[in-house]
Amino acid sequence: MFARLGQLVVHHPWKVIGLWLLIIVGVVATAPQLTSTTDQSDFLPSHYESIQALDMQQKAFPQSAAPAALIVVARADGAPLSDGDVASVASIGAKLTDAKIKDVTGLQAIPPSENRLIQVIAVQLTKITSASDTTQSDAVKALRSELKAQVQNTDLKAGITGQAAQMLDQVESSNKGMAIIGAATIILILVLLLIIFRSPVIALLPIVTIGAVSSVVTGLIAMVAKAFDLEIDSSVNAILLVVLFGVGTDYILFLMFRYRERLRAGEDPKTAMVSAVTRVGEAITSAAAAVIIAFMALTLSTLGMFRALGPALAIAVAVALLAGLTLVPAVVSLLGTKVFWPSKAWQSEPKGARFGALGAALGRRPAVFAVVAGGVLVALGIVAVGFNPTFDLSSGSTSSSSESVVYNKELLKGMPAGATQPSDVLLRSTEGALTSDQLTSYRAALTAVPGVGQVAEPLLSADKATANFQVTLTSAPESDAAIETVRSPLRDAAHAAAPAGTTAAVGGMTAVFVDFQAAMNHDYAIVFPVAAILIMIVLALLLRSLVAPWYLMASVFLGFAATLGAAVLVFQHIQGESGLIFTLPVIMYLFVVALGTDYNILMVARLREEARAGHEPKQAAALALRHTGPTVAAAGLILAGTFASMMLAGNNVLSQMGFAISVGIAIAAFVMAMFFTPALTALLGHRAWWPGHGDEKSGSPERGESRYPARDDRTLTVPSGAPGGGWPNTGERR
């Protein structure tokens, strides 16, 4: 199949390129705009209590809402506010109202905090109608500009925080981070490919081809999101960028390494490209299938953010694979050997001393390599036991110097930590209006809950059948303490104290985090095993073995544990952070398992090829490391580097993701695929391929191929029509 595909592409390159251009234009012209959301409640199913509370709140109080933003005012010298300062705050609020800023529907100055260190002006804004609605963000920008003018040349300082301000800062931080990630990714790919191939043409090849098809990816994702009503998380764009360029570059790299190898074997450029597609097509298609399956397993998640993330990344990998097998070979077949310009290094085989020595050592002592590599994975994996999830997505997704983060800290100097995002307890009667005694006793029950700072007077609906009790926790809304308070004592008390004939539900952002945690535990039990089983099926079909998939997946699992342990070690133990972002294990599992399997597949496929050439297991492992080691090392370095660029984005969420995924890929490439997997395969020998005979030497040449003896008594397989017939005239080894 791949031989026919290679011949079709190589002999009709202009038609292939023209077809891609038509696809790009068609998708861009018809695709809707891709929008994203930062509201975590958008991602939870309706059966969770926090979402039921939100629905109850919206039905009972359609015109009422918590302040969308908070103006925090304090003295510049940090002293308590004087009576004159309080009067100035009131004046500032009045002047901001008189400014009639668009979409600012109300401003109300709240009395200063008990310690008089801060005073707040609550801001009501026009409600947003969709994820792409910038109404509130534009209003916050205008309000910040006007506020700056009002406090200039005074003893006061002021800034805006709250949900709308945090979302604005998060979007701006994300856009800045995307620009940094994009530039770093492209520069890294260019530099590394220049070092590897010493050719600006090859260095630009992934940038140009992947850049050209990126619009197809974005358009297809937007179509799927609209068709299936998927909510796209704002962090997907950054992940999508590095996946597309990182994975796409890997596939191009696999192809170009084999293309260069076939040129060195004496084949003409077009025949060499057909051979390259034929030989690596199955491996990279199987690798891509494993990645796509792992990503699509996310559709089983209860969380909307993962259900959208899975198809989005699967589309990116599928398009990258198609481009790698069609568009890139078509372009290279037109360029021929000029793709390596100005370098002449492609004409001769390097000695490969480093990987040759490593391969020889592994072939002699596979048990030592297996124990050492496995020991490193186990040691790091033990540290993973200390993993603690954190739900601080708002500040974690924003630079610590942003205004919303700075003035959120100012707010905490005078108010309980939960004041920024209070919880809501909704009490609804099914038997008419709630009585005064019911409201008083219920409020008292909520106030007595440990971890609750204060409970405001209830807000009653028009029919007085629903009451909203705003509960301010003593801990920050995203903290472990706040989550524990809502999960158990607050929800238990809210349900137990509800009078007969009423129902209660606890909502708010902390309640959303509680339900997120429950949903994540559900996903761990379903998504992980399903992805692992499906990937094992792909491996079994590729390798025609029931044994190899088990130890390959076992090595990948060890790699996952080691990666999580490395992240815990760096962020929790060394940097002293309270925990890692709660979505990290799922994202990391999929990237490490799926992309890590890529390198295992590439290495084992080459190992099988060497075994079929007549080499014993240990020698086959040594030769596989010698010849595929440079490819895996280069691909792993590029992919790990592209994900590491996420650490430059300036926020903790992307930093943790970038670090964990890049370390995971490095472990997958430089520990698992390069040493652990070939060492285990060498130790298992022929048993690794049971019940098939995937490593047995063929008794006769494959159809359309002829065999030639090589200098090292290996068997070289080349198409019978290859010019020059057999071993290259340079006399170098393959």
Side-chain angles (χ1 to χ4, degrees), residues 43-185:
F43 303 125
L44 279 170
S46 59
H47 67 270
Y48 282 99
E49 184 174 341
S50 60
I51 306 303
Q52 293 173 350
L54 179 62
D55 182 60
M56 193 186 303
Q57 185 181 43
Q58 290 175 340
K59 288 179 180 177
F61 309 98
Q63 304 302 322
S64 176
L70 301 172
I71 298 175
V72 182
V73 185
R75 284 189 60 87
D77 58 7
L81 295 167
S82 65
D83 291 341
D85 295 328
V86 174
S88 296
V89 173
S91 175
I92 290 171
K95 290 178 180 178
L96 291 174
T97 301
D98 293 339
K100 299 187 183 302
I101 298 171
K102 185 181 179 182
D103 294 311
V104 176
T105 59
L107 293 103
Q108 181 182 2
I110 299 172
S113 61
E114 290 185 12
N115 58 13
R116 297 181 74 89
L117 289 178
I118 59 102
Q119 187 171 0
V120 172
I121 301 174
V123 182
Q124 296 287 353
L125 301 173
T126 302
K127 289 185 178 180
I128 57 176
T129 57
S130 67
S132 59
D133 189 345
T134 61
T135 298
Q136 291 190 351
S137 297
D138 294 339
V140 171
K141 286 181 183 178
L143 197 58
R144 280 177 171 172
S145 178
E146 186 67 26
L147 178 64
K148 185 177 180 180
Q150 293 295 334
V151 298
Q152 196 169 14
N153 300 322
T154 69
D155 295 330
L156 302 175
K157 62 179 181 179
I160 304 178
T161 186
Q163 187 173 3
Q166 289 172 343
M167 289 180 69
L168 170 62
D169 291 342
Q170 187 173 338
V171 169
E172 290 182 345
S173 176
S174 176
N175 290 339
K176 180 182 177 182
M178 281 290 294
I180 294 173
I181 290 171
T185 298

Side-chain angles (χ1 to χ4, degrees), residues 406-701:
V406 171
Y407 278 89
N408 184 61
K409 293 178 181 178
E410 286 290 327
L411 181 67
L412 297 182
K413 292 179 180 178
M415 289 192 169
T420 53
Q421 291 180 327
S423 295
D424 294 296
V425 179
L426 280 296
L427 183 67
R428 182 174 60 191
S429 172
T430 57
E431 301 176 354
L434 293 163
T435 67
S436 177
D437 289 343
Q438 287 176 324
L439 295 173
T440 301
S441 61
Y442 193 72
R443 183 187 178 205
L446 296 178
T447 304
V449 173
V452 170
Q454 60 188 40
V455 180
E457 289 288 342
L459 177 65
L460 290 174
S461 61
D463 60 2
K464 297 185 179 181
T466 304
N468 183 4
F469 295 84
Q470 196 171 80
V471 178
T472 302
L473 304 176
T474 56
S475 303
E478 72 281 350
S479 66
D480 292 342
I483 291 170
E484 194 55 43
T485 296
V486 170
R487 176 189 289 113
S488 183
L490 182 58
R491 278 186 170 171
D492 289 347
H495 297 153
T502 66
T503 57
V506 179
M509 191 52 63
T510 306
V512 169
F513 292 152
V514 171
D515 292 339
F516 254 110
Q517 204 166 54
M520 290 293 295
N521 291 334
H522 170 271
D523 290 351
Y524 289 152
I526 293 179
V527 176
F528 283 17
V530 169
I533 291 170
L534 292 177
I535 291 174
M536 286 182 67
I537 292 173
V538 171
L539 291 171
L541 292 174
L542 170 68
L543 302 175
R544 284 80 168 174
S545 166
L546 295 180
V547 176
W550 284 98
Y551 70 82
L552 290 177
M553 285 305 298
S555 71
V556 171
F557 173 77
L558 283 176
F560 164 77
T563 303
L564 183 58
V568 169
L569 181 65
V570 170
F571 289 99
Q572 290 184 211
H573 295 307
I574 296 177
Q575 294 191 6
E577 295 182 12
S578 61
L580 300 172
I581 195 68
F582 75 101
T583 57
L584 189 62
V586 169
I587 292 174
M588 190 185 70
Y589 172 87
L590 292 169
F591 279 103
V592 173
V593 169
L595 299 178
T597 304
D598 267 17
Y599 302 127
N600 267 342
I601 287 175
L602 192 69
M603 181 62 74
V604 173
R606 185 58 185 251
L607 196 150
R608 182 182 62 179
E609 184 179 324
E610 299 294 347
R612 284 176 171 176
H615 300 289
E616 288 303 312
K618 292 183 179 180
Q619 188 182 9
L623 290 170
L625 177 55
R626 175 186 175 184
H627 293 286
T628 306
T631 308
V632 170
L637 187 62
I638 288 176
L639 193 58
T642 54
F643 276 103
S645 68
M646 294 172 68
M647 298 172 65
L648 303 174
N651 69 67
N652 203 37
V653 171
L654 291 180
S655 291
Q656 289 186 10
M657 284 186 184
F659 174 84
I661 297 172
S662 61
V663 167
I665 290 169
I667 288 174
F670 295 99
V671 179
M672 293 190 319
M674 203 171 291
F675 299 119
F676 194 59
T677 295
L680 284 179
T681 306
L683 289 172
L684 288 171
H686 299 292
R687 293 186 295 268
W689 310 99
W690 184 89
H693 305 282
D695 64 330
E696 288 188 359
K697 181 179 179 181
S698 300
S700 60

